[in-house]
Short mmCIF file of all heavy atoms in Angstrom, two decimals:
data_model
loop_
_atom_site.label_atom_id
_atom_site.label_comp_id
_atom_site.label_asym_id
_atom_site.label_seq_id
_atom_site.Cartn_x
_atom_site.Cartn_y
_atom_site.Cartn_z
N MET A 1 0.09 8.35 39.42
CA MET A 1 -0.19 8.94 38.07
C MET A 1 -0.47 7.90 37.07
O MET A 1 0.34 6.83 37.03
CB MET A 1 0.99 9.81 37.63
CG MET A 1 0.98 11.20 38.29
SD MET A 1 1.87 12.35 37.19
CE MET A 1 3.28 12.55 38.09
N ASN A 2 -1.47 8.08 36.31
CA ASN A 2 -1.75 7.09 35.35
C ASN A 2 -1.22 7.41 33.93
O ASN A 2 -1.32 8.60 33.46
CB ASN A 2 -3.35 6.96 35.14
CG ASN A 2 -3.99 6.33 36.35
OD1 ASN A 2 -3.32 5.49 36.99
ND2 ASN A 2 -5.19 6.79 36.75
N LYS A 3 -0.62 6.41 33.37
CA LYS A 3 -0.10 6.61 31.95
C LYS A 3 -1.35 6.50 31.05
O LYS A 3 -2.27 5.79 31.36
CB LYS A 3 0.82 5.47 31.50
CG LYS A 3 2.13 5.57 32.12
CD LYS A 3 3.05 4.52 31.55
CE LYS A 3 4.39 4.52 32.25
NZ LYS A 3 5.21 3.31 31.80
N PRO A 4 -1.36 7.23 29.98
CA PRO A 4 -2.49 7.10 29.03
C PRO A 4 -2.47 5.67 28.50
O PRO A 4 -1.42 5.22 28.10
CB PRO A 4 -2.20 8.16 27.96
CG PRO A 4 -0.82 8.57 28.09
CD PRO A 4 -0.36 8.22 29.52
N ALA A 5 -3.64 5.11 28.42
CA ALA A 5 -3.74 3.70 27.95
C ALA A 5 -3.59 3.69 26.33
O ALA A 5 -4.42 4.37 25.74
CB ALA A 5 -5.09 3.16 28.28
N LEU A 6 -2.59 3.02 25.94
CA LEU A 6 -2.30 2.90 24.58
C LEU A 6 -3.08 1.71 24.05
O LEU A 6 -3.02 0.58 24.67
CB LEU A 6 -0.88 2.75 24.13
CG LEU A 6 -0.09 4.15 24.19
CD1 LEU A 6 1.38 3.75 24.15
CD2 LEU A 6 -0.50 4.95 23.19
N HIS A 7 -3.64 1.77 22.89
CA HIS A 7 -4.28 0.60 22.28
C HIS A 7 -3.59 0.26 20.95
O HIS A 7 -3.33 1.24 20.18
CB HIS A 7 -5.72 0.73 22.12
CG HIS A 7 -6.50 0.64 23.47
ND1 HIS A 7 -6.63 1.74 24.25
CD2 HIS A 7 -7.05 -0.41 24.06
CE1 HIS A 7 -7.31 1.37 25.39
NE2 HIS A 7 -7.49 0.05 25.25
N CYS A 8 -3.41 -1.04 20.68
CA CYS A 8 -2.84 -1.43 19.39
C CYS A 8 -3.62 -0.89 18.24
O CYS A 8 -4.84 -1.11 18.18
CB CYS A 8 -2.85 -2.92 19.41
SG CYS A 8 -2.15 -3.64 17.94
N PRO A 9 -2.92 -0.12 17.30
CA PRO A 9 -3.62 0.35 16.17
C PRO A 9 -4.19 -0.73 15.20
O PRO A 9 -5.01 -0.52 14.35
CB PRO A 9 -2.68 1.31 15.53
CG PRO A 9 -1.37 0.83 15.91
CD PRO A 9 -1.56 0.20 17.27
N ILE A 10 -3.63 -1.99 15.36
CA ILE A 10 -4.00 -3.01 14.45
C ILE A 10 -5.15 -3.74 14.89
O ILE A 10 -6.16 -3.91 14.25
CB ILE A 10 -2.80 -4.04 14.27
CG1 ILE A 10 -1.51 -3.32 13.92
CG2 ILE A 10 -3.20 -5.15 13.32
CD1 ILE A 10 -1.60 -2.64 12.50
N CYS A 11 -5.14 -4.17 16.19
CA CYS A 11 -6.26 -5.03 16.73
C CYS A 11 -6.99 -4.41 17.93
O CYS A 11 -7.97 -4.94 18.41
CB CYS A 11 -5.77 -6.40 17.07
SG CYS A 11 -4.69 -6.40 18.49
N LYS A 12 -6.56 -3.27 18.36
CA LYS A 12 -7.20 -2.46 19.41
C LYS A 12 -7.00 -3.08 20.85
O LYS A 12 -7.77 -2.60 21.78
CB LYS A 12 -8.68 -2.23 19.07
CG LYS A 12 -8.94 -1.77 17.71
CD LYS A 12 -8.36 -0.39 17.46
CE LYS A 12 -8.61 0.13 16.11
NZ LYS A 12 -7.78 1.30 15.64
N LYS A 13 -6.24 -4.05 20.94
CA LYS A 13 -5.89 -4.56 22.30
C LYS A 13 -5.06 -3.67 22.99
O LYS A 13 -4.38 -2.87 22.38
CB LYS A 13 -5.30 -6.00 22.23
CG LYS A 13 -6.16 -7.05 21.76
CD LYS A 13 -5.44 -8.43 21.67
CE LYS A 13 -6.24 -9.47 21.04
NZ LYS A 13 -5.44 -10.67 20.71
N PRO A 14 -4.94 -3.71 24.32
CA PRO A 14 -4.16 -2.92 25.05
C PRO A 14 -2.61 -3.14 24.63
O PRO A 14 -2.25 -4.28 24.49
CB PRO A 14 -4.28 -3.34 26.52
CG PRO A 14 -5.60 -3.94 26.55
CD PRO A 14 -5.79 -4.51 25.22
N ALA A 15 -1.89 -1.99 24.45
CA ALA A 15 -0.49 -2.20 23.97
C ALA A 15 0.40 -2.72 25.09
O ALA A 15 0.21 -2.49 26.24
CB ALA A 15 0.03 -0.87 23.52
N GLN A 16 1.35 -3.49 24.69
CA GLN A 16 2.39 -4.06 25.62
C GLN A 16 3.60 -3.04 25.52
O GLN A 16 3.95 -2.62 24.40
CB GLN A 16 2.87 -5.36 25.21
CG GLN A 16 1.84 -6.45 25.22
CD GLN A 16 1.31 -6.70 26.65
OE1 GLN A 16 2.21 -6.87 27.56
NE2 GLN A 16 0.07 -6.82 26.80
N GLU A 17 4.20 -2.74 26.69
CA GLU A 17 5.25 -1.82 26.75
C GLU A 17 6.36 -2.16 25.85
O GLU A 17 6.92 -1.36 25.17
CB GLU A 17 5.79 -1.74 28.23
CG GLU A 17 6.33 -0.36 28.56
CD GLU A 17 6.58 -0.25 30.08
OE1 GLU A 17 5.67 -0.52 30.84
OE2 GLU A 17 7.78 0.02 30.41
N LYS A 18 6.65 -3.42 25.75
CA LYS A 18 7.76 -3.91 24.95
C LYS A 18 7.51 -3.71 23.47
O LYS A 18 8.50 -3.51 22.68
CB LYS A 18 7.89 -5.44 25.15
CG LYS A 18 9.16 -6.03 24.69
CD LYS A 18 9.24 -7.46 24.95
CE LYS A 18 10.38 -8.17 24.25
NZ LYS A 18 10.41 -9.63 24.49
N PHE A 19 6.24 -3.66 23.03
CA PHE A 19 5.96 -3.56 21.54
C PHE A 19 5.21 -2.27 21.20
O PHE A 19 4.71 -2.18 20.12
CB PHE A 19 5.12 -4.72 21.20
CG PHE A 19 5.82 -6.02 21.27
CD1 PHE A 19 5.39 -6.85 22.31
CD2 PHE A 19 6.88 -6.41 20.53
CE1 PHE A 19 6.01 -8.14 22.57
CE2 PHE A 19 7.51 -7.63 20.77
CZ PHE A 19 7.12 -8.52 21.75
N GLN A 20 5.11 -1.32 22.19
CA GLN A 20 4.41 -0.05 21.87
C GLN A 20 4.72 0.56 20.54
O GLN A 20 5.83 0.57 20.08
CB GLN A 20 4.89 1.02 22.94
CG GLN A 20 3.93 0.92 24.19
CD GLN A 20 4.28 2.02 25.12
OE1 GLN A 20 4.53 3.24 24.78
NE2 GLN A 20 4.34 1.69 26.47
N PRO A 21 3.63 1.08 19.90
CA PRO A 21 2.25 1.12 20.36
C PRO A 21 1.41 -0.09 20.09
O PRO A 21 0.19 -0.04 20.09
CB PRO A 21 1.69 2.35 19.65
CG PRO A 21 2.40 2.23 18.31
CD PRO A 21 3.77 1.66 18.59
N PHE A 22 2.12 -1.24 19.77
CA PHE A 22 1.41 -2.39 19.48
C PHE A 22 1.24 -3.40 20.62
O PHE A 22 1.87 -3.20 21.62
CB PHE A 22 2.08 -3.17 18.24
CG PHE A 22 2.34 -2.24 17.13
CD1 PHE A 22 3.61 -1.69 16.90
CD2 PHE A 22 1.28 -1.89 16.28
CE1 PHE A 22 3.81 -0.81 15.83
CE2 PHE A 22 1.52 -1.03 15.22
CZ PHE A 22 2.79 -0.43 15.00
N CYS A 23 0.38 -4.45 20.48
CA CYS A 23 0.21 -5.34 21.54
C CYS A 23 1.13 -6.55 21.42
O CYS A 23 1.29 -7.27 22.42
CB CYS A 23 -1.32 -5.84 21.49
SG CYS A 23 -1.56 -7.00 20.10
N SER A 24 1.71 -6.69 20.28
CA SER A 24 2.53 -7.88 20.08
C SER A 24 3.49 -7.65 18.88
O SER A 24 3.23 -6.69 18.10
CB SER A 24 1.72 -9.05 19.81
OG SER A 24 0.95 -8.89 18.68
N LYS A 25 4.46 -8.47 18.73
CA LYS A 25 5.35 -8.41 17.59
C LYS A 25 4.61 -8.61 16.29
O LYS A 25 4.84 -8.08 15.27
CB LYS A 25 6.53 -9.44 17.69
CG LYS A 25 7.52 -9.28 16.60
CD LYS A 25 8.72 -10.14 16.79
CE LYS A 25 9.80 -9.85 15.82
NZ LYS A 25 9.40 -9.89 14.42
N ARG A 26 3.60 -9.46 16.40
CA ARG A 26 2.80 -9.82 15.24
C ARG A 26 2.16 -8.51 14.64
O ARG A 26 2.18 -8.27 13.44
CB ARG A 26 1.76 -10.86 15.61
CG ARG A 26 0.95 -11.38 14.38
CD ARG A 26 0.09 -12.49 14.87
NE ARG A 26 -0.93 -12.74 13.81
CZ ARG A 26 -2.10 -12.12 13.84
NH1 ARG A 26 -2.41 -11.26 14.63
NH2 ARG A 26 -3.02 -12.42 12.85
N CYS A 27 1.49 -7.78 15.50
CA CYS A 27 0.91 -6.60 15.08
C CYS A 27 1.87 -5.53 14.58
O CYS A 27 1.66 -4.81 13.60
CB CYS A 27 0.00 -5.99 16.15
SG CYS A 27 -1.46 -6.91 16.40
N ALA A 28 3.02 -5.48 15.25
CA ALA A 28 4.14 -4.57 14.68
C ALA A 28 4.52 -5.01 13.34
O ALA A 28 4.67 -4.15 12.47
CB ALA A 28 5.24 -4.62 15.70
N ASP A 29 4.62 -6.31 13.09
CA ASP A 29 5.01 -6.79 11.78
C ASP A 29 4.01 -6.54 10.74
O ASP A 29 4.30 -6.16 9.63
CB ASP A 29 5.20 -8.32 11.85
CG ASP A 29 6.58 -8.65 12.47
OD1 ASP A 29 7.42 -7.78 12.65
OD2 ASP A 29 6.77 -9.87 12.78
N ILE A 30 2.66 -6.58 11.21
CA ILE A 30 1.62 -6.29 10.23
C ILE A 30 1.75 -4.83 9.84
O ILE A 30 1.62 -4.43 8.64
CB ILE A 30 0.31 -6.59 10.83
CG1 ILE A 30 0.07 -8.11 10.93
CG2 ILE A 30 -0.91 -5.95 10.09
CD1 ILE A 30 -1.08 -8.56 11.77
N ASP A 31 1.97 -3.93 10.83
CA ASP A 31 2.10 -2.50 10.47
C ASP A 31 3.29 -2.23 9.57
O ASP A 31 3.14 -1.53 8.59
CB ASP A 31 2.23 -1.73 11.78
CG ASP A 31 2.17 -0.24 11.48
OD1 ASP A 31 1.00 0.16 11.25
OD2 ASP A 31 3.12 0.42 11.59
N LEU A 32 4.36 -2.97 9.84
CA LEU A 32 5.57 -2.80 8.94
C LEU A 32 5.20 -3.32 7.60
O LEU A 32 5.53 -2.78 6.56
CB LEU A 32 6.69 -3.75 9.57
CG LEU A 32 8.11 -3.45 8.99
CD1 LEU A 32 8.54 -2.08 9.38
CD2 LEU A 32 8.99 -4.54 9.44
N GLY A 33 4.45 -4.33 7.50
CA GLY A 33 4.08 -4.91 6.20
C GLY A 33 3.13 -3.93 5.42
O GLY A 33 3.31 -3.90 4.21
N ARG A 34 2.39 -3.18 6.07
CA ARG A 34 1.62 -2.17 5.40
C ARG A 34 2.48 -1.14 4.78
O ARG A 34 2.22 -0.66 3.70
CB ARG A 34 0.64 -1.56 6.41
CG ARG A 34 -0.54 -2.36 6.77
CD ARG A 34 -1.44 -1.65 7.69
NE ARG A 34 -2.65 -2.43 8.03
CZ ARG A 34 -3.49 -2.13 8.97
NH1 ARG A 34 -3.48 -1.00 9.51
NH2 ARG A 34 -4.51 -2.99 9.26
N TRP A 35 3.47 -0.66 5.54
CA TRP A 35 4.40 0.27 5.01
C TRP A 35 5.12 -0.28 3.84
O TRP A 35 5.33 0.41 2.82
CB TRP A 35 5.32 0.87 6.05
CG TRP A 35 4.71 1.69 6.98
CD1 TRP A 35 4.32 1.37 8.35
CD2 TRP A 35 4.28 3.03 6.93
NE1 TRP A 35 3.64 2.51 8.85
CE2 TRP A 35 3.68 3.53 8.00
CE3 TRP A 35 4.48 3.90 5.71
CZ2 TRP A 35 3.24 4.83 8.10
CZ3 TRP A 35 3.93 5.19 5.84
CH2 TRP A 35 3.31 5.62 7.04
N PHE A 36 5.54 -1.53 4.00
CA PHE A 36 6.24 -2.19 2.90
C PHE A 36 5.43 -2.31 1.65
O PHE A 36 5.85 -1.97 0.55
CB PHE A 36 6.61 -3.62 3.35
CG PHE A 36 7.26 -4.42 2.34
CD1 PHE A 36 8.59 -4.23 1.98
CD2 PHE A 36 6.57 -5.37 1.61
CE1 PHE A 36 9.21 -4.90 0.97
CE2 PHE A 36 7.18 -6.20 0.61
CZ PHE A 36 8.47 -6.01 0.30
N TYR A 37 4.15 -2.55 1.83
CA TYR A 37 3.28 -2.67 0.79
C TYR A 37 3.12 -1.22 0.10
O TYR A 37 3.10 -1.26 -1.21
CB TYR A 37 1.91 -3.18 1.27
CG TYR A 37 0.81 -3.12 0.19
CD1 TYR A 37 0.89 -3.97 -0.91
CD2 TYR A 37 -0.30 -2.28 0.26
CE1 TYR A 37 -0.07 -3.93 -1.92
CE2 TYR A 37 -1.28 -2.30 -0.75
CZ TYR A 37 -1.09 -3.10 -1.83
OH TYR A 37 -2.11 -3.12 -2.77
N GLU A 38 2.96 -0.20 0.89
CA GLU A 38 2.79 1.14 0.28
C GLU A 38 4.00 1.43 -0.52
O GLU A 38 3.95 1.93 -1.65
CB GLU A 38 2.56 2.11 1.37
CG GLU A 38 1.24 2.08 2.06
CD GLU A 38 0.09 2.32 1.09
OE1 GLU A 38 0.23 3.20 0.19
OE2 GLU A 38 -0.94 1.61 1.16
N ASP A 39 5.23 1.26 0.03
CA ASP A 39 6.52 1.48 -0.65
C ASP A 39 6.54 0.66 -2.00
O ASP A 39 7.00 1.23 -3.01
CB ASP A 39 7.67 1.07 0.21
CG ASP A 39 7.89 2.16 1.26
OD1 ASP A 39 7.27 3.29 1.26
OD2 ASP A 39 8.79 1.96 2.08
N TYR A 40 6.21 -0.60 -1.91
CA TYR A 40 6.26 -1.48 -2.98
C TYR A 40 5.35 -0.90 -4.17
O TYR A 40 5.64 -0.84 -5.29
CB TYR A 40 5.86 -2.89 -2.54
CG TYR A 40 6.17 -3.93 -3.63
CD1 TYR A 40 7.33 -4.69 -3.51
CD2 TYR A 40 5.35 -4.19 -4.73
CE1 TYR A 40 7.64 -5.66 -4.45
CE2 TYR A 40 5.65 -5.08 -5.58
CZ TYR A 40 6.75 -5.89 -5.52
OH TYR A 40 7.16 -6.87 -6.41
N ARG A 41 4.18 -0.47 -3.71
CA ARG A 41 3.20 0.00 -4.74
C ARG A 41 3.67 1.21 -5.41
O ARG A 41 3.42 1.46 -6.58
CB ARG A 41 1.82 0.18 -3.97
CG ARG A 41 0.72 0.09 -4.93
CD ARG A 41 -0.59 0.04 -4.21
NE ARG A 41 -0.72 1.14 -3.23
CZ ARG A 41 -1.95 1.50 -2.69
NH1 ARG A 41 -2.96 0.81 -3.13
NH2 ARG A 41 -1.97 2.39 -1.82
N ILE A 42 4.37 2.09 -4.65
CA ILE A 42 4.89 3.32 -5.26
C ILE A 42 6.03 2.97 -6.22
O ILE A 42 6.14 3.58 -7.26
CB ILE A 42 5.26 4.31 -4.14
CG1 ILE A 42 4.03 4.82 -3.40
CG2 ILE A 42 6.08 5.44 -4.70
CD1 ILE A 42 4.32 5.40 -2.03
N ALA A 43 6.86 2.04 -5.73
CA ALA A 43 8.05 1.77 -6.56
C ALA A 43 7.59 1.06 -7.81
O ALA A 43 8.21 1.27 -8.90
CB ALA A 43 8.99 0.84 -5.74
N SER A 44 6.63 0.11 -7.81
CA SER A 44 6.25 -0.61 -8.99
C SER A 44 4.78 -0.74 -8.98
O SER A 44 4.28 -1.74 -8.37
CB SER A 44 7.02 -1.92 -9.07
OG SER A 44 6.34 -2.96 -8.61
N PRO A 45 4.07 0.19 -9.44
CA PRO A 45 2.58 0.17 -9.49
C PRO A 45 2.05 -1.04 -10.17
O PRO A 45 2.49 -1.38 -11.29
CB PRO A 45 2.12 1.43 -10.27
CG PRO A 45 3.36 2.21 -10.41
CD PRO A 45 4.58 1.40 -10.27
N PRO A 46 1.13 -1.86 -9.48
CA PRO A 46 0.55 -2.94 -10.13
C PRO A 46 -0.24 -2.58 -11.49
O PRO A 46 -0.76 -1.39 -11.49
CB PRO A 46 -0.44 -3.46 -9.10
CG PRO A 46 -0.08 -2.81 -7.88
CD PRO A 46 0.55 -1.55 -8.20
N GLN A 47 -0.23 -3.43 -12.41
CA GLN A 47 -0.84 -3.18 -13.65
C GLN A 47 -2.41 -3.14 -13.58
O GLN A 47 -2.99 -2.36 -14.31
CB GLN A 47 -0.48 -4.22 -14.70
CG GLN A 47 0.98 -4.28 -14.94
CD GLN A 47 1.58 -2.92 -15.53
OE1 GLN A 47 1.05 -2.37 -16.43
NE2 GLN A 47 2.54 -2.35 -14.76
N ASN A 48 -2.92 -3.85 -12.64
CA ASN A 48 -4.39 -3.83 -12.55
C ASN A 48 -4.85 -4.23 -11.10
O ASN A 48 -3.95 -4.62 -10.28
CB ASN A 48 -5.01 -4.76 -13.57
CG ASN A 48 -4.36 -6.19 -13.48
OD1 ASN A 48 -4.29 -6.75 -12.40
ND2 ASN A 48 -3.99 -6.71 -14.68
N GLU A 49 -6.15 -4.21 -10.85
CA GLU A 49 -6.64 -4.61 -9.54
C GLU A 49 -6.27 -6.03 -9.09
O GLU A 49 -5.92 -6.22 -7.97
CB GLU A 49 -8.12 -4.45 -9.48
CG GLU A 49 -8.59 -3.13 -8.83
CD GLU A 49 -10.06 -2.99 -8.79
OE1 GLU A 49 -10.69 -4.00 -8.33
OE2 GLU A 49 -10.60 -2.00 -9.25
N GLU A 50 -6.43 -6.90 -10.13
CA GLU A 50 -6.11 -8.30 -9.76
C GLU A 50 -4.70 -8.44 -9.26
O GLU A 50 -4.51 -9.06 -8.12
CB GLU A 50 -6.29 -9.10 -11.08
CG GLU A 50 -6.44 -10.59 -10.79
CD GLU A 50 -7.85 -10.86 -10.38
OE1 GLU A 50 -8.64 -9.93 -10.29
OE2 GLU A 50 -8.17 -12.06 -10.37
N GLU A 51 -3.72 -7.82 -9.92
CA GLU A 51 -2.36 -7.89 -9.49
C GLU A 51 -2.16 -7.27 -8.09
O GLU A 51 -1.35 -7.84 -7.39
CB GLU A 51 -1.47 -7.22 -10.55
CG GLU A 51 -0.07 -7.62 -10.52
CD GLU A 51 0.69 -7.02 -11.74
OE1 GLU A 51 0.15 -7.18 -12.87
OE2 GLU A 51 1.63 -6.36 -11.57
N GLU A 52 -2.86 -6.18 -7.85
CA GLU A 52 -2.69 -5.51 -6.59
C GLU A 52 -3.22 -6.41 -5.47
O GLU A 52 -2.53 -6.55 -4.43
CB GLU A 52 -3.50 -4.18 -6.65
CG GLU A 52 -3.19 -3.29 -5.42
CD GLU A 52 -3.81 -1.97 -5.61
OE1 GLU A 52 -4.16 -1.55 -6.71
OE2 GLU A 52 -3.84 -1.25 -4.63
N LYS A 53 -4.29 -7.11 -5.73
CA LYS A 53 -4.83 -8.00 -4.73
C LYS A 53 -3.89 -9.13 -4.35
O LYS A 53 -3.68 -9.55 -3.29
CB LYS A 53 -6.18 -8.60 -5.16
CG LYS A 53 -7.33 -7.65 -4.87
CD LYS A 53 -8.61 -8.41 -5.35
CE LYS A 53 -9.79 -7.34 -5.49
NZ LYS A 53 -10.85 -7.82 -6.25
N GLU A 54 -3.30 -9.67 -5.54
CA GLU A 54 -2.36 -10.73 -5.30
C GLU A 54 -1.11 -10.35 -4.48
O GLU A 54 -0.62 -11.05 -3.60
CB GLU A 54 -1.83 -11.25 -6.72
CG GLU A 54 -2.83 -12.22 -7.22
CD GLU A 54 -2.31 -12.81 -8.66
OE1 GLU A 54 -1.13 -12.74 -8.85
OE2 GLU A 54 -3.15 -13.04 -9.46
N LEU A 55 -0.67 -9.15 -4.77
CA LEU A 55 0.47 -8.62 -3.99
C LEU A 55 0.11 -8.42 -2.53
O LEU A 55 0.90 -8.84 -1.64
CB LEU A 55 0.85 -7.22 -4.58
CG LEU A 55 1.95 -6.50 -3.82
CD1 LEU A 55 3.26 -7.24 -3.93
CD2 LEU A 55 2.19 -5.08 -4.45
N LEU A 56 -1.05 -7.93 -2.22
CA LEU A 56 -1.40 -7.69 -0.88
C LEU A 56 -1.58 -9.09 -0.14
O LEU A 56 -1.20 -9.24 0.96
CB LEU A 56 -2.74 -6.92 -0.86
CG LEU A 56 -3.25 -6.47 0.53
CD1 LEU A 56 -2.21 -5.61 1.30
CD2 LEU A 56 -4.53 -5.74 0.37
N ASN A 57 -2.15 -10.02 -0.95
CA ASN A 57 -2.34 -11.34 -0.30
C ASN A 57 -1.02 -12.00 0.02
O ASN A 57 -0.88 -12.63 1.11
CB ASN A 57 -3.20 -12.17 -1.28
CG ASN A 57 -4.59 -11.96 -1.15
OD1 ASN A 57 -5.09 -11.41 -0.18
ND2 ASN A 57 -5.34 -12.32 -2.21
N SER A 58 -0.03 -11.82 -0.87
CA SER A 58 1.31 -12.44 -0.67
C SER A 58 1.89 -11.87 0.49
O SER A 58 2.64 -12.60 1.37
CB SER A 58 2.11 -12.35 -1.91
OG SER A 58 2.53 -11.00 -2.01
N ILE A 59 1.73 -10.55 0.76
CA ILE A 59 2.36 -9.91 1.95
C ILE A 59 1.56 -10.38 3.24
O ILE A 59 2.19 -10.79 4.21
CB ILE A 59 2.26 -8.39 1.82
CG1 ILE A 59 3.19 -7.93 0.77
CG2 ILE A 59 2.54 -7.68 3.13
CD1 ILE A 59 3.09 -6.47 0.33
N LYS A 60 0.30 -10.46 3.08
CA LYS A 60 -0.56 -10.93 4.28
C LYS A 60 -0.11 -12.34 4.71
O LYS A 60 -0.01 -12.72 5.80
CB LYS A 60 -2.01 -10.94 3.86
CG LYS A 60 -2.66 -9.52 4.16
CD LYS A 60 -4.12 -9.74 3.90
CE LYS A 60 -4.83 -8.37 4.00
NZ LYS A 60 -6.21 -8.57 3.57
N GLU A 61 0.03 -13.22 3.67
CA GLU A 61 0.39 -14.57 4.02
C GLU A 61 1.71 -14.67 4.69
O GLU A 61 1.88 -15.48 5.55
CB GLU A 61 0.44 -15.43 2.63
CG GLU A 61 -0.92 -15.86 2.24
CD GLU A 61 -0.88 -16.47 0.78
OE1 GLU A 61 0.12 -16.90 0.34
OE2 GLU A 61 -1.96 -16.43 0.15
N ARG A 62 2.63 -13.87 4.24
CA ARG A 62 3.97 -13.94 4.90
C ARG A 62 3.87 -13.43 6.33
O ARG A 62 4.55 -14.04 7.21
CB ARG A 62 4.95 -12.95 4.11
CG ARG A 62 6.38 -13.34 4.23
CD ARG A 62 7.20 -12.52 3.36
NE ARG A 62 6.69 -12.38 1.96
CZ ARG A 62 7.04 -11.34 1.15
NH1 ARG A 62 7.81 -10.43 1.43
NH2 ARG A 62 6.50 -11.32 -0.10
N LEU A 63 3.04 -12.48 6.62
CA LEU A 63 2.93 -11.97 7.94
C LEU A 63 2.05 -12.78 8.81
O LEU A 63 2.12 -12.81 10.04
CB LEU A 63 2.33 -10.54 7.94
CG LEU A 63 3.27 -9.47 7.25
CD1 LEU A 63 2.47 -8.16 7.13
CD2 LEU A 63 4.51 -9.28 8.10
N ASP A 64 1.10 -13.47 8.23
CA ASP A 64 0.06 -14.22 8.93
C ASP A 64 -0.09 -15.66 8.42
O ASP A 64 -1.09 -15.90 7.75
CB ASP A 64 -1.23 -13.44 8.84
CG ASP A 64 -2.22 -13.85 9.89
OD1 ASP A 64 -1.87 -14.59 10.77
OD2 ASP A 64 -3.40 -13.40 9.78
N PRO A 65 0.87 -16.46 8.63
CA PRO A 65 0.91 -17.78 8.03
C PRO A 65 -0.29 -18.68 8.47
O PRO A 65 -0.65 -19.64 7.69
CB PRO A 65 2.19 -18.35 8.39
CG PRO A 65 2.70 -17.59 9.63
CD PRO A 65 2.12 -16.24 9.50
N ASP A 66 -0.83 -18.42 9.68
CA ASP A 66 -1.82 -19.22 10.14
C ASP A 66 -3.05 -18.42 10.47
O ASP A 66 -3.20 -17.75 11.52
CB ASP A 66 -1.45 -20.08 11.46
CG ASP A 66 -2.48 -20.99 11.82
OD1 ASP A 66 -3.62 -21.02 11.22
OD2 ASP A 66 -2.23 -21.84 12.74
N PRO A 67 -4.05 -18.32 9.52
CA PRO A 67 -5.13 -17.40 9.64
C PRO A 67 -6.16 -17.84 10.82
O PRO A 67 -7.05 -17.19 11.16
CB PRO A 67 -5.91 -17.48 8.33
CG PRO A 67 -5.41 -18.83 7.60
CD PRO A 67 -4.04 -19.09 8.27
N ASN A 68 -5.96 -19.13 11.33
CA ASN A 68 -6.81 -19.64 12.44
C ASN A 68 -6.41 -19.07 13.75
O ASN A 68 -7.13 -19.15 14.70
CB ASN A 68 -6.76 -21.16 12.45
CG ASN A 68 -7.39 -21.71 11.14
OD1 ASN A 68 -8.41 -21.21 10.65
ND2 ASN A 68 -6.73 -22.77 10.63
N VAL A 69 -5.25 -18.51 13.88
CA VAL A 69 -4.73 -17.92 15.15
C VAL A 69 -5.11 -16.51 15.24
O VAL A 69 -4.85 -15.74 14.24
CB VAL A 69 -3.22 -18.12 15.31
CG1 VAL A 69 -2.72 -17.38 16.53
CG2 VAL A 69 -2.81 -19.63 15.34
N GLY A 70 -5.72 -16.11 16.35
CA GLY A 70 -6.04 -14.73 16.54
C GLY A 70 -7.50 -14.50 16.28
O GLY A 70 -8.11 -13.85 15.58
ZN1 ZN B 1 -2.50 -5.99 18.14
#
């Protein structure tokens, strides 16, 4: 019997059993960061687009310190 193939919702690679439905801890963390960002935005709405971009960037940097990897 074949299990349905799960694909990482972040990068679309095949999911690893250990990190389902993600392929890696990194992608799981990115997903978590997205939720964190949504919560943060609801809790304290940015004053303008500029501020919102900065907030998103700061979260991205924390999750993805080396943009050359991946
Ligand atoms: Zn992934």
Side-chain angles (χ1 to χ4, degrees):
M1 276 207 254
N2 290 327
K3 285 183 189 175
L6 283 172
H7 287 86
C8 177
I10 306 298
C11 69
K12 311 297 180 197
K13 287 179 190 167
Q16 296 294 314
E17 209 167 306
K18 191 178 172 187
F19 299 109
Q20 269 186 41
F22 306 101
C23 70
S24 63
K25 186 175 188 304
R26 186 173 166 272
C27 284
D29 282 349
I30 289 170
D31 190 68
L32 194 71
R34 284 184 181 175
W35 286 104
F36 175 78
Y37 174 67
E38 290 297 321
D39 280 355
Y40 193 98
R41 203 165 55 159
I42 290 162
S44 95
Q47 297 302 305
N48 53 48
E49 258 183 53
E50 200 79 355
E51 202 172 307
E52 189 169 346
K53 275 182 199 165
E54 277 180 30
L55 175 63
L56 186 59
N57 280 339
S58 71
I59 291 170
K60 273 187 185 168
E61 278 170 25
R62 208 176 308 161
L63 292 171
D64 197 7
D66 187 351
N68 294 320
V69 174

